[in-house]
Amino acid sequence: QEQLVESGGRLVQAGDSLRLSCVASGRTFRSSGMGWFRQAPGKEREFVAAVTSGGSTVYADGMRDRFTASRDAVKNALYLQMDSLKPEDTAVYYCAGGWTNHIATLRTTRGYSYWGQGTQVTVSS
């Protein structure tokens, strides 16, 4: 059974850093992209970052300067390093396993077939 499990979310203060992890089991994503999305209360789920199987990264506008996405093919894992966190970064962060490496598609939820349960990140001011 395919499963994505996120970890690393917690309460932090503005300006702090966090590293989220996502480990996939039951399925590898060696030939497709993996991504991070987030959803704040009352808002739609939004794209954060994605990494293709070849290691190329893509970020949502305005996130490249503070967020760094990476993946480890051996561990079948995806990571998101978040620096200089702001209160507006507060959200549930979701890991997703894709079916494509097409960058434009990976920017949308349509590019993914598998989703984790999410990990809560709360940034206090």
Side-chain angles (χ1 to χ4, degrees):
Q1 182 178 357
E2 298 82 2
Q3 190 175 19
L4 296 170
V5 179
E6 305 96 334
S7 62
R10 60 184 178 90
L11 172 64
V12 297
Q13 293 186 335
D16 285 352
S17 296
L18 266 183
R19 187 185 193 224
L20 304 183
S21 299
C22 169
V23 178
S25 61
R27 176 183 173 87
T28 66
F29 296 93
R30 293 196 180 99
S31 60
S32 59
M34 297 182 73
W36 289 101
F37 286 73
R38 69 184 185 184
Q39 188 166 17
K43 295 187 177 181
E44 293 187 352
R45 190 169 299 190
E46 66 172 348
F47 171 73
V48 175
V51 186
T52 68
S53 61
S56 297
T57 54
V58 58
Y59 297 90
D61 293 342
M63 294 188 186
R64 180 182 294 273
D65 57 341
R66 297 187 298 118
F67 292 1
T68 303
S70 61
R71 61 190 292 182
D72 184 326
V74 174
K75 296 181 179 179
N76 209 18
L78 178 71
Y79 306 100
L80 184 67
Q81 175 68 39
M82 303 186 293
D83 299 319
S84 302
L85 283 162
K86 304 175 181 180
E88 51 264 44
D89 294 318
T90 295
V92 177
Y93 284 71
Y94 295 92
C95 170
W99 55 269
T100 181
N101 275 313
H102 188 247
I103 291 294
T105 305
L106 288 174
R107 287 179 169 270
T108 76
T109 57
R110 293 183 291 106
Y112 302 88
S113 301
Y114 302 94
W115 294 85
Q117 292 300 306
T119 184
Q120 176 70 48
V121 173
T122 303
V123 185
S124 65
S125 58

